[in-house]
Amino acid sequence: MWSRRSCRYRPDASGLEELRARRREQESALRKARRQQQLVSKRLLREDSLVNGDGQAGVEIASEPLSEQEILQLLRDVQRGTEERKKLLSRLRQGLQHKECQQKFVRLEGSMRVLIGLFTSSLANVQMEAARCLHELSHSSDPSVAEACLPATSYLLTYLSGHSVEFTELCLYTLGNLAVESDAVRKQLLPQGIIPALTSCIQSPHMAVLEGLGYVLSQLLQAREAPTKIIPLVLDSVLPQHMLRLVSSNLELGMGVAVEFAWCLHYIVCSHVNNALLISQGIVSTLVLLLLELASMISKAATEGLELLICPVLRCLSNLLAEDETEVCKVQIQDERLLVALFLFMQYFLQQHPFLVQECLWLLNNLTADEPIFCSAVLTLDLLPALLQLLSCSRMVTLLALTVLCNIAEKGPAYCHQLHQKAVLPSLLSTLALSDAQVVGQSLELLHLLFLQLPEAVDDFLRQAGLQALEQHQDNPQLQERVRALSETYLQPAAASLISCADASAAVLTSS
């Protein structure tokens, strides 16, 4: 509810400042609500084709769960050092794809010791197959299975410096899966030096390794203890500089790496541990230029998977702008091309990926909240018609579009005049016809800003049956006070004036 005195609005400077303060509080709450994090998930690397009993590739084997006795026999046979060890491990790996087999395996005394011994074998093919068995265990949804893998973590970290891309990638995804499930695993990984290991690994030239590294890091950064125990270590390393480099490089080779590190940056920004450091390292300009590049890719019709990268980048910038101290950030962002890119994204993804429209509007809201330059740019670049079209979309998109319009109207009479010239009132009459109280409430706030700073808008609103549009909400408990205040403060006096003018005109005609 707006601040009121004696049940009436006061269109003076102090009243406007009160309104701005209330809206800033509301926007702060909304921004905090947007600091959501992507759910943790596990990933599984499996070959599309397995080897059959005759050693022929390309035939997928349908394995049944192993009994406890079968697991014991496999472990005995594999320790004998026969030439069949790889095949035996392959059979074990297939069995470990079943949850009940995973649980049986870790309960068997000495099973993990045998597997880790094979994982550290000097025979590359045996080592790889043992790594795949560990990877299957890491994918288990049972926390006890992940904790049974604790003795393997130091070896997994050591092998990140290996020469085989496939083996290093497998170790990375295994570590990432274990970090998702178990507090104990994360607690052990930190003193074992996972951050220095990742720092060394991030200099790899191989995209598969870098994407796997991004996955591990994203899982660590989402842990509940990350703001106090993990993110400070990351920020003290050179990882952020490398992430900023990788998030916008080699996009033509695939965006998997950029997507992973964009989410990593998002989690760090959301932690508020030291965003000033990221800003000093150029995160704002890097991400703005990245969005401009992604917008140019849309114009070239190279759009596959773009939304997966655009989303975390938008969230990073939105949350950086939501910081208490955003002046340095805003100075680095002042590029009107960013607004054009946002509207291009909204237009292109509206049908297939509407969630991205909301992300664009959140950034647009944060850009225009207290910054006249972007409000002016929306008007001078003729982006307002596209913004008004969004008022007919989903509830959240409509709310966010209305919030941006309020940001523009709040900047003063000149801005309200341009909104009025661009036919904002007919669009508001459409949103007032909706039944959603929040949408109508935001529409009422925009009307208040327009009426407060542009009195002629009141007369036009009345001529377009605006009073009747408001009256349909006068019995709504959530809206009736604001409806009554608008009516008493602006509409009724204006209506009386119009009637008086009409009577005077009629009297003149009669006397003549």
mmCIF file of all heavy atoms in Angstrom, residues 182-218:
data_model
loop_
_atom_site.group_PDB
_atom_site.id
_atom_site.type_symbol
_atom_site.label_atom_id
_atom_site.label_comp_id
_atom_site.label_asym_id
_atom_site.label_seq_id
_atom_site.Cartn_x
_atom_site.Cartn_y
_atom_site.Cartn_z
ATOM 1 N N SER A 182 27.713 -36.183 -0.309
ATOM 2 C CA SER A 182 28.258 -36.417 1.026
ATOM 3 C C SER A 182 28.987 -35.210 1.598
ATOM 4 O O SER A 182 29.953 -34.706 1.008
ATOM 5 C CB SER A 182 29.211 -37.619 0.965
ATOM 6 O OG SER A 182 29.874 -37.793 2.186
ATOM 7 N N ASP A 183 28.549 -34.777 2.780
ATOM 8 C CA ASP A 183 29.282 -33.743 3.521
ATOM 9 C C ASP A 183 30.672 -34.250 3.887
ATOM 10 O O ASP A 183 31.649 -33.493 3.867
ATOM 11 C CB ASP A 183 28.523 -33.367 4.790
ATOM 12 C CG ASP A 183 27.204 -32.673 4.507
ATOM 13 O OD1 ASP A 183 26.995 -32.261 3.344
ATOM 14 O OD2 ASP A 183 26.381 -32.548 5.426
ATOM 15 N N ALA A 184 30.742 -35.543 4.231
ATOM 16 C CA ALA A 184 32.027 -36.118 4.645
ATOM 17 C C ALA A 184 33.036 -36.078 3.511
ATOM 18 O O ALA A 184 34.226 -35.826 3.731
ATOM 19 C CB ALA A 184 31.813 -37.555 5.124
ATOM 20 N N VAL A 185 32.566 -36.325 2.288
ATOM 21 C CA VAL A 185 33.471 -36.282 1.131
ATOM 22 C C VAL A 185 34.013 -34.872 0.935
ATOM 23 O O VAL A 185 35.222 -34.672 0.758
ATOM 24 C CB VAL A 185 32.747 -36.769 -0.142
ATOM 25 C CG1 VAL A 185 33.587 -36.479 -1.379
ATOM 26 C CG2 VAL A 185 32.446 -38.256 -0.049
ATOM 27 N N ARG A 186 33.114 -33.881 0.976
ATOM 28 C CA ARG A 186 33.574 -32.490 0.792
ATOM 29 C C ARG A 186 34.526 -32.084 1.914
ATOM 30 O O ARG A 186 35.522 -31.379 1.677
ATOM 31 C CB ARG A 186 32.373 -31.544 0.737
ATOM 32 C CG ARG A 186 31.477 -31.763 -0.462
ATOM 33 C CD ARG A 186 30.502 -30.614 -0.639
ATOM 34 N NE ARG A 186 29.635 -30.428 0.509
ATOM 35 C CZ ARG A 186 28.472 -31.043 0.685
ATOM 36 N NH1 ARG A 186 28.050 -31.908 -0.220
ATOM 37 N NH2 ARG A 186 27.740 -30.800 1.749
ATOM 38 N N LYS A 187 34.224 -32.517 3.120
ATOM 39 C CA LYS A 187 35.082 -32.170 4.264
ATOM 40 C C LYS A 187 36.473 -32.765 4.085
ATOM 41 O O LYS A 187 37.474 -32.172 4.518
ATOM 42 C CB LYS A 187 34.436 -32.684 5.553
ATOM 43 C CG LYS A 187 35.144 -32.245 6.820
ATOM 44 C CD LYS A 187 34.386 -32.721 8.046
ATOM 45 C CE LYS A 187 35.078 -32.275 9.328
ATOM 46 N NZ LYS A 187 34.353 -32.740 10.534
ATOM 47 N N GLN A 188 36.547 -33.924 3.452
ATOM 48 C CA GLN A 188 37.850 -34.559 3.250
ATOM 49 C C GLN A 188 38.594 -33.973 2.056
ATOM 50 O O GLN A 188 39.819 -33.867 2.069
ATOM 51 C CB GLN A 188 37.639 -36.067 3.032
ATOM 52 C CG GLN A 188 38.925 -36.848 2.787
ATOM 53 C CD GLN A 188 38.707 -38.338 2.884
ATOM 54 O OE1 GLN A 188 38.529 -38.869 3.970
ATOM 55 N NE2 GLN A 188 38.714 -39.030 1.747
ATOM 56 N N LEU A 189 37.849 -33.588 1.028
ATOM 57 C CA LEU A 189 38.479 -33.086 -0.191
ATOM 58 C C LEU A 189 39.230 -31.780 0.027
ATOM 59 O O LEU A 189 40.273 -31.536 -0.592
ATOM 60 C CB LEU A 189 37.430 -32.892 -1.286
ATOM 61 C CG LEU A 189 36.900 -34.159 -1.961
ATOM 62 C CD1 LEU A 189 35.729 -33.823 -2.876
ATOM 63 C CD2 LEU A 189 38.013 -34.848 -2.751
ATOM 64 N N LEU A 190 38.716 -30.907 0.879
ATOM 65 C CA LEU A 190 39.354 -29.604 1.070
ATOM 66 C C LEU A 190 40.768 -29.719 1.630
ATOM 67 O O LEU A 190 41.710 -29.166 1.050
ATOM 68 C CB LEU A 190 38.476 -28.714 1.955
ATOM 69 C CG LEU A 190 37.169 -28.226 1.303
ATOM 70 C CD1 LEU A 190 36.332 -27.431 2.290
ATOM 71 C CD2 LEU A 190 37.461 -27.393 0.067
ATOM 72 N N PRO A 191 40.984 -30.434 2.752
ATOM 73 C CA PRO A 191 42.370 -30.554 3.229
ATOM 74 C C PRO A 191 43.249 -31.402 2.313
ATOM 75 O O PRO A 191 44.484 -31.276 2.347
ATOM 76 C CB PRO A 191 42.212 -31.220 4.608
ATOM 77 C CG PRO A 191 40.867 -31.870 4.588
ATOM 78 C CD PRO A 191 40.016 -31.027 3.700
ATOM 79 N N GLN A 192 42.635 -32.253 1.491
ATOM 80 C CA GLN A 192 43.423 -33.034 0.540
ATOM 81 C C GLN A 192 43.894 -32.188 -0.641
ATOM 82 O O GLN A 192 44.699 -32.654 -1.439
ATOM 83 C CB GLN A 192 42.599 -34.223 0.032
ATOM 84 C CG GLN A 192 42.457 -35.345 1.048
ATOM 85 C CD GLN A 192 41.628 -36.508 0.518
ATOM 86 O OE1 GLN A 192 40.867 -36.357 -0.435
ATOM 87 N NE2 GLN A 192 41.771 -37.660 1.153
ATOM 88 N N GLY A 193 43.367 -30.957 -0.751
ATOM 89 C CA GLY A 193 43.872 -30.030 -1.763
ATOM 90 C C GLY A 193 43.111 -30.015 -3.068
ATOM 91 O O GLY A 193 43.710 -29.844 -4.139
ATOM 92 N N ILE A 194 41.774 -30.129 -2.989
ATOM 93 C CA ILE A 194 41.015 -30.144 -4.236
ATOM 94 C C ILE A 194 41.092 -28.807 -4.977
ATOM 95 O O ILE A 194 41.138 -28.774 -6.209
ATOM 96 C CB ILE A 194 39.542 -30.556 -4.002
ATOM 97 C CG1 ILE A 194 38.857 -30.756 -5.372
ATOM 98 C CG2 ILE A 194 38.800 -29.558 -3.120
ATOM 99 C CD1 ILE A 194 37.501 -31.386 -5.303
ATOM 100 N N ILE A 195 41.138 -27.689 -4.243
ATOM 101 C CA ILE A 195 41.189 -26.392 -4.923
ATOM 102 C C ILE A 195 42.507 -26.211 -5.672
ATOM 103 O O ILE A 195 42.511 -25.837 -6.862
ATOM 104 C CB ILE A 195 40.938 -25.234 -3.933
ATOM 105 C CG1 ILE A 195 39.563 -25.406 -3.248
ATOM 106 C CG2 ILE A 195 41.008 -23.894 -4.666
ATOM 107 C CD1 ILE A 195 38.402 -25.483 -4.203
ATOM 108 N N PRO A 196 43.668 -26.489 -5.063
ATOM 109 C CA PRO A 196 44.917 -26.429 -5.845
ATOM 110 C C PRO A 196 44.927 -27.413 -7.017
ATOM 111 O O PRO A 196 45.453 -27.092 -8.092
ATOM 112 C CB PRO A 196 45.996 -26.782 -4.815
ATOM 113 C CG PRO A 196 45.403 -26.407 -3.504
ATOM 114 C CD PRO A 196 43.935 -26.691 -3.626
ATOM 115 N N ALA A 197 44.332 -28.604 -6.825
ATOM 116 C CA ALA A 197 44.298 -29.588 -7.916
ATOM 117 C C ALA A 197 43.471 -29.061 -9.083
ATOM 118 O O ALA A 197 43.859 -29.206 -10.253
ATOM 119 C CB ALA A 197 43.720 -30.906 -7.408
ATOM 120 N N LEU A 198 42.336 -28.445 -8.777
ATOM 121 C CA LEU A 198 41.499 -27.880 -9.839
ATOM 122 C C LEU A 198 42.188 -26.685 -10.487
ATOM 123 O O LEU A 198 42.053 -26.460 -11.694
ATOM 124 C CB LEU A 198 40.144 -27.465 -9.272
ATOM 125 C CG LEU A 198 39.248 -28.603 -8.747
ATOM 126 C CD1 LEU A 198 37.928 -28.035 -8.210
ATOM 127 C CD2 LEU A 198 38.979 -29.642 -9.827
ATOM 128 N N THR A 199 42.916 -25.919 -9.703
ATOM 129 C CA THR A 199 43.642 -24.764 -10.241
ATOM 130 C C THR A 199 44.668 -25.204 -11.267
ATOM 131 O O THR A 199 44.855 -24.549 -12.310
ATOM 132 C CB THR A 199 44.335 -24.004 -9.095
ATOM 133 O OG1 THR A 199 43.349 -23.566 -8.159
ATOM 134 C CG2 THR A 199 45.089 -22.798 -9.623
ATOM 135 N N SER A 200 45.336 -26.315 -10.987
ATOM 136 C CA SER A 200 46.302 -26.850 -11.945
ATOM 137 C C SER A 200 45.598 -27.423 -13.171
ATOM 138 O O SER A 200 46.023 -27.208 -14.308
ATOM 139 C CB SER A 200 47.154 -27.934 -11.266
ATOM 140 O OG SER A 200 48.018 -28.539 -12.181
ATOM 141 N N CYS A 201 44.484 -28.104 -12.930
ATOM 142 C CA CYS A 201 43.768 -28.789 -14.003
ATOM 143 C C CYS A 201 43.097 -27.810 -14.977
ATOM 144 O O CYS A 201 42.919 -28.117 -16.151
ATOM 145 C CB CYS A 201 42.718 -29.705 -13.374
ATOM 146 S SG CYS A 201 42.038 -30.955 -14.469
ATOM 147 N N ILE A 202 42.749 -26.619 -14.476
ATOM 148 C CA ILE A 202 41.994 -25.675 -15.310
ATOM 149 C C ILE A 202 42.847 -25.113 -16.444
ATOM 150 O O ILE A 202 42.319 -24.475 -17.368
ATOM 151 C CB ILE A 202 41.421 -24.525 -14.449
ATOM 152 C CG1 ILE A 202 40.207 -23.896 -15.147
ATOM 153 C CG2 ILE A 202 42.490 -23.479 -14.149
ATOM 154 C CD1 ILE A 202 39.441 -22.919 -14.283
ATOM 155 N N GLN A 203 44.126 -25.357 -16.412
ATOM 156 C CA GLN A 203 44.999 -24.905 -17.496
ATOM 157 C C GLN A 203 45.107 -25.931 -18.627
ATOM 158 O O GLN A 203 45.858 -25.741 -19.580
ATOM 159 C CB GLN A 203 46.378 -24.590 -16.936
ATOM 160 C CG GLN A 203 46.331 -23.496 -15.873
ATOM 161 C CD GLN A 203 47.670 -23.200 -15.255
ATOM 162 O OE1 GLN A 203 48.629 -22.906 -15.959
ATOM 163 N NE2 GLN A 203 47.761 -23.268 -13.935
ATOM 164 N N SER A 204 44.319 -27.009 -18.537
ATOM 165 C CA SER A 204 44.323 -28.035 -19.577
ATOM 166 C C SER A 204 43.796 -27.463 -20.895
ATOM 167 O O SER A 204 42.871 -26.660 -20.910
ATOM 168 C CB SER A 204 43.446 -29.214 -19.147
ATOM 169 O OG SER A 204 43.222 -30.112 -20.237
ATOM 170 N N PRO A 205 44.346 -27.897 -22.010
ATOM 171 C CA PRO A 205 43.845 -27.425 -23.311
ATOM 172 C C PRO A 205 42.642 -28.233 -23.810
ATOM 173 O O PRO A 205 42.079 -27.913 -24.860
ATOM 174 C CB PRO A 205 45.048 -27.644 -24.237
ATOM 175 C CG PRO A 205 45.747 -28.833 -23.650
ATOM 176 C CD PRO A 205 45.558 -28.731 -22.158
ATOM 177 N N HIS A 206 42.246 -29.258 -23.077
ATOM 178 C CA HIS A 206 41.205 -30.171 -23.541
ATOM 179 C C HIS A 206 39.825 -29.753 -23.029
ATOM 180 O O HIS A 206 39.618 -29.636 -21.817
ATOM 181 C CB HIS A 206 41.521 -31.602 -23.101
ATOM 182 C CG HIS A 206 42.845 -32.094 -23.571
ATOM 183 N ND1 HIS A 206 43.106 -32.379 -24.897
ATOM 184 C CD2 HIS A 206 44.006 -32.332 -22.885
ATOM 185 C CE1 HIS A 206 44.368 -32.783 -25.020
ATOM 186 N NE2 HIS A 206 44.940 -32.767 -23.824
ATOM 187 N N MET A 207 38.886 -29.546 -23.942
ATOM 188 C CA MET A 207 37.559 -29.067 -23.583
ATOM 189 C C MET A 207 36.816 -30.052 -22.691
ATOM 190 O O MET A 207 36.083 -29.655 -21.782
ATOM 191 C CB MET A 207 36.738 -28.796 -24.852
ATOM 192 C CG MET A 207 37.369 -27.810 -25.818
ATOM 193 S SD MET A 207 37.603 -26.168 -25.080
ATOM 194 C CE MET A 207 35.930 -25.548 -25.159
ATOM 195 N N ALA A 208 36.982 -31.350 -22.921
ATOM 196 C CA ALA A 208 36.292 -32.355 -22.109
ATOM 197 C C ALA A 208 36.743 -32.271 -20.656
ATOM 198 O O ALA A 208 35.928 -32.387 -19.728
ATOM 199 C CB ALA A 208 36.554 -33.756 -22.665
ATOM 200 N N VAL A 209 38.034 -32.062 -20.443
ATOM 201 C CA VAL A 209 38.563 -31.920 -19.082
ATOM 202 C C VAL A 209 38.038 -30.645 -18.433
ATOM 203 O O VAL A 209 37.622 -30.651 -17.268
ATOM 204 C CB VAL A 209 40.106 -31.928 -19.108
ATOM 205 C CG1 VAL A 209 40.673 -31.540 -17.737
ATOM 206 C CG2 VAL A 209 40.621 -33.298 -19.528
ATOM 207 N N LEU A 210 38.028 -29.561 -19.167
ATOM 208 C CA LEU A 210 37.564 -28.289 -18.615
ATOM 209 C C LEU A 210 36.078 -28.346 -18.260
ATOM 210 O O LEU A 210 35.654 -27.806 -17.228
ATOM 211 C CB LEU A 210 37.812 -27.167 -19.619
ATOM 212 C CG LEU A 210 39.290 -26.843 -19.886
ATOM 213 C CD1 LEU A 210 39.412 -25.844 -21.022
ATOM 214 C CD2 LEU A 210 39.964 -26.324 -18.621
ATOM 215 N N GLU A 211 35.282 -29.007 -19.085
ATOM 216 C CA GLU A 211 33.855 -29.121 -18.780
ATOM 217 C C GLU A 211 33.637 -29.966 -17.525
ATOM 218 O O GLU A 211 32.809 -29.641 -16.672
ATOM 219 C CB GLU A 211 33.114 -29.738 -19.968
ATOM 220 C CG GLU A 211 31.604 -29.704 -19.823
ATOM 221 C CD GLU A 211 30.879 -30.076 -21.095
ATOM 222 O OE1 GLU A 211 31.524 -30.119 -22.170
ATOM 223 O OE2 GLU A 211 29.660 -30.331 -21.021
ATOM 224 N N GLY A 212 34.405 -31.057 -17.395
ATOM 225 C CA GLY A 212 34.318 -31.870 -16.185
ATOM 226 C C GLY A 212 34.753 -31.103 -14.952
ATOM 227 O O GLY A 212 34.146 -31.216 -13.877
ATOM 228 N N LEU A 213 35.803 -30.294 -15.093
ATOM 229 C CA LEU A 213 36.267 -29.465 -13.974
ATOM 230 C C LEU A 213 35.183 -28.477 -13.553
ATOM 231 O O LEU A 213 34.944 -28.263 -12.363
ATOM 232 C CB LEU A 213 37.548 -28.737 -14.380
ATOM 233 C CG LEU A 213 38.306 -27.975 -13.292
ATOM 234 C CD1 LEU A 213 39.775 -27.902 -13.652
ATOM 235 C CD2 LEU A 213 37.766 -26.576 -13.085
ATOM 236 N N GLY A 214 34.524 -27.873 -14.553
ATOM 237 C CA GLY A 214 33.440 -26.949 -14.232
ATOM 238 C C GLY A 214 32.321 -27.631 -13.470
ATOM 239 O O GLY A 214 31.711 -27.046 -12.563
ATOM 240 N N TYR A 215 32.051 -28.895 -13.816
ATOM 241 C CA TYR A 215 31.024 -29.645 -13.110
ATOM 242 C C TYR A 215 31.408 -29.862 -11.649
ATOM 243 O O TYR A 215 30.607 -29.639 -10.743
ATOM 244 C CB TYR A 215 30.797 -30.993 -13.806
ATOM 245 C CG TYR A 215 29.964 -31.945 -12.996
ATOM 246 C CD1 TYR A 215 28.615 -31.695 -12.749
ATOM 247 C CD2 TYR A 215 30.518 -33.103 -12.462
ATOM 248 C CE1 TYR A 215 27.854 -32.566 -11.993
ATOM 249 C CE2 TYR A 215 29.762 -33.979 -11.702
ATOM 250 C CZ TYR A 215 28.432 -33.708 -11.472
ATOM 251 O OH TYR A 215 27.681 -34.571 -10.705
ATOM 252 N N VAL A 216 32.657 -30.299 -11.394
ATOM 253 C CA VAL A 216 33.114 -30.495 -10.015
ATOM 254 C C VAL A 216 32.993 -29.202 -9.220
ATOM 255 O O VAL A 216 32.461 -29.170 -8.099
ATOM 256 C CB VAL A 216 34.584 -30.980 -9.982
ATOM 257 C CG1 VAL A 216 35.051 -31.146 -8.542
ATOM 258 C CG2 VAL A 216 34.734 -32.283 -10.730
ATOM 259 N N LEU A 217 33.482 -28.133 -9.800
ATOM 260 C CA LEU A 217 33.491 -26.853 -9.102
ATOM 261 C C LEU A 217 32.071 -26.375 -8.816
ATOM 262 O O LEU A 217 31.778 -25.854 -7.730
ATOM 263 C CB LEU A 217 34.243 -25.826 -9.943
ATOM 264 C CG LEU A 217 34.673 -24.531 -9.250
ATOM 265 C CD1 LEU A 217 35.497 -24.821 -8.004
ATOM 266 C CD2 LEU A 217 35.458 -23.662 -10.216
ATOM 267 N N SER A 218 31.161 -26.566 -9.756
ATOM 268 C CA SER A 218 29.781 -26.117 -9.537
ATOM 269 C C SER A 218 29.132 -26.886 -8.398
ATOM 270 O O SER A 218 28.332 -26.324 -7.639
ATOM 271 C CB SER A 218 28.961 -26.273 -10.824
ATOM 272 O OG SER A 218 28.735 -27.631 -11.135
#
